[in-house]
Amino acid sequence: MGYDVSFHPISPEEMREWYFTPLSWVQQGQEEKVLALAAQHGMEDFYAEKYLDTLRVGAGTEPDELFDKSHGFYIAVIQGFFRDYYYTRGSAFSFLVEEKPEYARYFTPWAQVTPTAFPNPAENQIIENYCSGVYLSPKQVTQLLRDLEQDPKVLEDLEGLWSNGQLAELKKALTAAAELGVGLLEATEVVEPNPIRPNESTSYSNLYHCDRDGVYLYIDTVSTQLADVIGKSEEQA
């Protein structure tokens, strides 16, 4: 699948601190509080403004908009202003659970995560571009890491989706979340690497907080595919 999927270590408490509470500040016209919070975390002015802009968009969300396409996506974006996030091309828990519903045991629906009841309906998975996916609670992160080590079936299932070395990047994301004691949120198109011209890669968040290893894997894969195509066309010439 042609999705740019990213994985964002964040706890429900951090969602409140970094998104839901600042969202109420913006709605109340107290934007200076957002910039003060950004400064407390050492955020550069450029990214503090992007953070504030993201919250402004969130504050304008209509109650009938999908949570996954609005608040959920914005939470993934703002996480990347505060700490590192991780990238894999086309591989997501949302796709895994469609094939193997039993993996839903590792995921927590938004209704159990958000601090207040939002009227926005939620699919709790990636349904299209620019969308949040599933959320693994801190305990579910730890459980999945343990099962990856101890249950050959779980390892086989995840390797089937996160192929060509991508599982190492997913494990890196899970391990980072576990070490921080937080959960893990997936989303799509927060970051959009350009495998042909990496310097033209873009992100709604802080591009420099995107772990490079997953991006390099994608670049290598595209380079190999291009070499194969060129090789075949030369043979046919």
Side-chain angles (χ1 to χ4, degrees):
M1 295 190 187
Y3 285 100
D4 290 310
V5 182
S6 48
F7 298 89
H8 302 260
I10 187 169
S11 69
E13 294 76 22
E14 288 166 340
M15 291 183 195
R16 282 196 284 276
E17 180 189 344
W18 298 346
Y19 183 76
F20 292 113
T21 298
L23 191 70
S24 67
W25 295 340
V26 171
Q27 289 166 334
Q28 294 160 15
Q30 300 174 320
E31 292 187 349
E32 70 281 355
K33 286 189 174 183
V34 175
L35 297 176
L37 176 65
Q40 282 173 23
H41 287 269
M43 205 180 294
E44 295 174 21
D45 290 349
F46 174 78
Y47 294 110
E49 285 295 333
K50 279 187 78 172
Y51 175 38
L52 179 54
D53 284 343
T54 305
L55 289 165
R56 286 170 178 153
V57 176
T61 299
E62 297 294 336
D64 60 345
E65 289 183 59
L66 266 181
F67 193 97
D68 323 76
K69 290 278 294 174
S70 55
H71 299 300
F73 179 73
Y74 307 144
I75 289 168
V77 170
I78 62 98
Q79 180 276 345
F81 294 125
F82 289 88
R83 66 162 64 104
D84 288 349
Y85 54 101
Y86 302 82
Y87 172 86
T88 65
R89 173 69 176 178
S91 305
F93 291 114
S94 293
F95 311 146
L96 178 67
V97 79
E98 283 179 4
E99 298 173 21
K100 302 176 188 295
E102 65 270 22
Y103 279 88
R105 68 184 184 273
Y106 294 108
F107 314 138
T108 299
W110 281 117
Q112 296 176 30
V113 178
T114 56
T116 52
F118 277 77
N120 306 74
E123 295 285 342
N124 295 295
Q125 64 177 5
I126 291 169
I127 51 167
E128 55 186 279
N129 294 324
Y130 310 102
C131 183
S132 63
V134 306
Y135 180 67
L136 290 76
S137 71
K139 285 184 179 178
Q140 287 166 326
V141 165
T142 305
Q143 186 63 52
L144 181 55
L145 268 175
R146 188 181 302 126
D147 291 348
L148 263 173
E149 297 294 332
Q150 299 177 0
D151 188 336
K153 179 72 167 64
V154 171
L155 178 61
E156 180 187 345
D157 287 346
L158 267 62
E159 275 183 330
L161 191 57
W162 282 272
S163 56
N164 301 318
Q166 290 200 107
L167 185 61
E169 184 69 1
L170 177 66
K171 286 180 76 172
K172 201 173 181 182
L174 287 163
T175 301
E179 288 174 351
L180 290 163
V182 302
L184 194 68
L185 173 64
E186 69 179 6
T188 173
E189 273 70 47
V190 169
V191 59
E192 297 178 274
N194 186 323
I196 309 300
R197 299 182 183 86
N199 290 340
E200 295 178 17
S201 299
T202 60
S203 175
Y204 282 94
S205 190
N206 185 335
L207 182 62
Y208 296 101
H209 281 175
C210 181
D211 184 75
R212 306 290 177 86
D213 289 349
V215 176
Y216 290 149
L217 269 175
Y218 177 35
I219 291 170
D220 289 345
T221 300
V222 171
S223 298
T224 302
Q225 290 170 345
L226 282 172
D228 288 346
V229 169
I230 292 167
K232 284 174 183 172
S233 64
E234 286 176 349
E235 287 171 12
Q236 292 167 359

